Each structure stands twice: as C-alpha cells, then as structure tokens.
Amino acid sequence: MLAPEFAYLNGQIVPWDAARVHVFSPVAKYGIGVFEGIRGYWNENVQQLYLFRVAEHLERYAFSQKAMRFDQPISSDKLIVALVHLCRANAFRTTVHIRMMAFIDGLGELGAKGPVGSAITAFPREATRQSVEGASAQISSWMRMPDNVMPARIKCNANYHNSRLAMMQAQLDGYDIAFLLNSRGKLAEAPAMCVFMVRDGQLITPSGTNDILESITRQTVIQLAREYLGVDTVERDVDRTELILAQEVFYCGTGAEITPVTSIDRMVVGSGQPGAITRQLIAIYRAIATGTNTAHESWRTPVF
Ligand code: PMP
C-alpha cells in the first residue's frame, strides 16, 4: 500500500513520515487509543468528495473517549475542519477510507488519562471484491468479549486483538470472514462489521446488547430498508443455526459497506448468490453515500 503525502497529527497537517508516537507511549504499550473509520465517497458527476455521516462518527468518538476517561477531548468542530483539510491536502479525487485516532501519548502508565494525541490518516479505498461477489464466513471458535470484560461498544484499539484472532483463524482456514458468537452463544458481530439476515422477507440483526459496536452503517441499513424497501428490522438475539435457515445474510460496516455472505461454514446461504434484498440495499446505500441520490443531505459533508 502506497502511503499518501500527508497525515494529521495534533492540530497540524504533516508529511506522512512525521506522524509518529514514541514506542513506549501508553498507546503503543497497551493499545490505549480509540478510533473511527469514516468513508469519503467521490462523486464524479459533481466532482465532489462527500464524507459520510461524520456527525455520527464524531459522536461515537466522543463517547469512546469519555468511556476511556481521556482528558482534553478535542472539539468536534475542530475535527471536521481537520478532516476536510487533510482530504484537500492529499487532493483525493477518489473514494477514501479515513481513520481518526485519539490516544494516550507521553510517558504515562496504565492509568494515564493524557496527554491525548489526535491523528487522522486517509487512504484511497474502493469497494472490496467480496462486496460484489459475496463472502464466505466461518463461525469462529473465538468468542466476542463481553461488555463487562472489554466493551465492544467502545471503539478501542485494544479490542481489535479479539477481532484479529478470529479474522486470522478464518483466513488460515480458507474463509473470507469470521462471525463471532458472544458469551451467551448468540451471534455478536464480525471483525469490524455487523451482521444481518433475511428470514421470510424480514430483516433481523443482533440487538445492541449482544456485544456489538453500535454501528453507524447498521443504523443506516435499518433506516434505508424501512424507507426504500418498506422492510422493518427486528433487533434481537440470533442463534447460529438461524444463519443456516436464512434466505440472505450480509455484513456491513464503514469499510466493508454492505457485503453479501454466500456461505457459512461451507453451507450455502439461500441460492448461493447475493440475495435480492441485499442487492437492493447495496444500490441504495451507494446512491445515498455518493450523493447520486440527493436524499439525506445532512449525512454528506462536502470536502471541496
Ligand atoms: N463492529 C466493529 C467491531 C467495528 O470495528 C466496526 C467498524 N467501525 C463495525 C462493527 C461497523 O461500524 P460502522 O458501521 O460504524 O463502521
């Protein structure tokens, strides 16, 4: 992967190689950081880059910092300006994946609440192959950690050790993705994605108390499914065997967007092809995110 020209660190746009922290900082030692992934969608017709649902990402970012007891949260207004300036500095004219991270810098130990560093990076990133062709999923033997152990609701760097174990096992075993069950044996989420299934024309997804991140894409899918397809979503516990019964399964997240799942543990889902509801949701989501469909204007922040 080629690094972009500029990154953002502590209030300034800096050359990529200058965005550094010390190897002995609490973020490096213990993973004491929180982050957000935001996509910017390039619209060729209007020559515009739209950042998608920035306000919602910044709200979750603020919650994560509060829950981690960080000092000196950085104001959301400053961060929006920084996001826009970084995209302009890199002159992106393509769809991008932005990551912003607030982290504990300095010489502190485990209980350090500051100094809080602030970084933003952005890379060009198109849709994944799986989002077009469909993905194969494995039900992981790794368990999603419970809320009173390491809350999945906080988007904390260290949480991704759990996601990584599941992802690496799935990939070594020849699957695209892992689905993790929680401590009650119910479906939680995938590494960096939430999961939906379609049963008898209804959308079903694990509720917010199933050890998931409160995903912004999940919320967007629920809203767009109701508005455009007239399909309601039931948020409840999901058993692993229901995934085998389902006519359609997909996962969603900022990076993954909406990705159909065509097999689980080598059992075919539905017809083995991306399902009709999933395909319609992918099209609506893309149109709204890129601004081809001009509804939900407040979800798009123009960069240029
Ligand atoms: N779960 C986890 C653990 C994640 O890291 C992500 C990606 N942020 C998601 C779900 C999807 O969340 P969102 O739709 O807000 O990107």
Side-chain angles (χ1 to χ4, degrees):
M1 195 156 51
L2 213 58
E5 207 174 346
F6 297 107
Y8 168 95
L9 185 69
N10 298 332
Q12 283 179 316
I13 305 285
V14 296
W16 178 264
D17 282 340
R20 291 175 182 276
V21 293
H22 197 277
V23 69
F24 217 63
S25 58
V27 63
K29 278 201 299 261
Y30 307 118
I32 308 178
V34 301
F35 70 105
E36 281 298 321
I38 302 175
R39 257 191 198 267
Y41 284 89
W42 177 248
N43 182 320
E44 184 66 27
N45 290 339
V46 294
Q47 297 285 299
Q48 184 57 272
L49 183 63
Y50 290 114
L51 308 183
F52 193 56
R53 306 210 70 172
V54 170
E56 292 79 2
H57 281 285
L58 289 176
E59 204 177 304
R60 189 171 66 190
Y61 196 53
F63 157 74
S64 292
Q65 291 178 67
K66 178 182 177 184
M68 297 281 288
R69 301 180 189 274
F70 283 11
D71 281 343
Q72 318 139 329
I74 300 127
S75 92
S76 292
D77 291 348
K78 274 197 187 151
L79 287 170
I80 293 182
V81 173
L83 285 168
V84 167
H85 281 177
L86 181 65
C87 289
R88 284 187 192 161
N90 282 304
F92 289 128
R93 299 171 69 79
T94 177
T95 291
V96 293
H97 194 195
I98 300 165
R99 288 200 179 88
M100 52 199 310
M101 181 165 74
F103 56 91
I104 303 297
D105 208 345
L107 292 171
E109 283 298 331
L110 203 50
K113 296 176 177 177
V116 179
S118 168
I120 310 177
T121 62
F123 277 88
R125 185 171 175 191
E126 290 300 338
T128 60
R129 175 184 60 79
Q130 290 90 349
S131 69
V132 181
E133 295 171 8
S136 61
Q138 173 184 55
I139 306 288
S140 188
S141 61
W142 294 100
M143 186 184 86
R144 190 68 178 143
M145 68 271 171
D147 188 67
N148 61 351
V149 175
M150 280 181 82
R153 189 174 281 106
I154 304 174
K155 200 163 162 59
C156 168
N157 296 23
N159 283 2
Y160 289 79
H161 175 50
N162 176 247
S163 313
R164 183 170 183 272
L165 288 170
M167 187 192 75
M168 296 198 80
Q169 180 196 17
Q171 289 181 352
L172 283 170
D173 290 348
Y175 297 86
D176 292 314
I177 193 77
F179 285 174
L180 288 103
L181 307 181
N182 61 24
S183 58
R184 295 183 297 112
K186 304 297 177 187
L187 178 65
E189 59 183 348
M193 296 73 115
C194 283
V195 183
F196 283 76
M197 63 179 174
V198 178
R199 286 192 65 186
D200 304 324
Q202 190 171 51
L203 276 167
I204 302 166
T205 192
S207 69
T209 50
N210 272 290
D211 303 304
I212 64 168
L213 181 74
E214 293 190 3
S215 150
I216 292 153
T217 318
R218 172 184 179 277
Q219 211 47 51
T220 306
V221 165
I222 292 172
Q223 192 167 338
L224 295 180
R226 190 180 309 127
E227 269 175 37
Y228 286 86
L229 308 181
V231 174
D232 282 326
T233 303
V234 181
E235 300 177 55
R236 63 162 173 81
D237 286 358
V238 172
D239 285 339
R240 67 185 288 173
T241 45
E242 285 187 279
L243 293 167
I244 305 164
L245 274 173
Q247 284 91 39
E248 299 180 34
V249 176
F250 63 86
Y251 56 80
C252 73
T254 296
E257 302 175 292
I258 298 171
T259 299
V261 174
T262 47
S263 73
I264 297 171
D265 287 343
R266 307 269 180 246
M267 284 178 276
V268 165
V269 174
S271 66
Q273 296 297 319
I277 291 183
T278 309
R279 280 188 280 113
Q280 289 176 76
L281 284 169
I282 291 170
I284 297 160
Y285 185 83
R286 272 252 142 196
I288 297 274
T290 55
T292 317
N293 179 332
T294 55
H296 293 294
E297 195 184 348
S298 66
W299 290 358
R300 292 180 299 274
T301 303
V303 163
F304 298 110

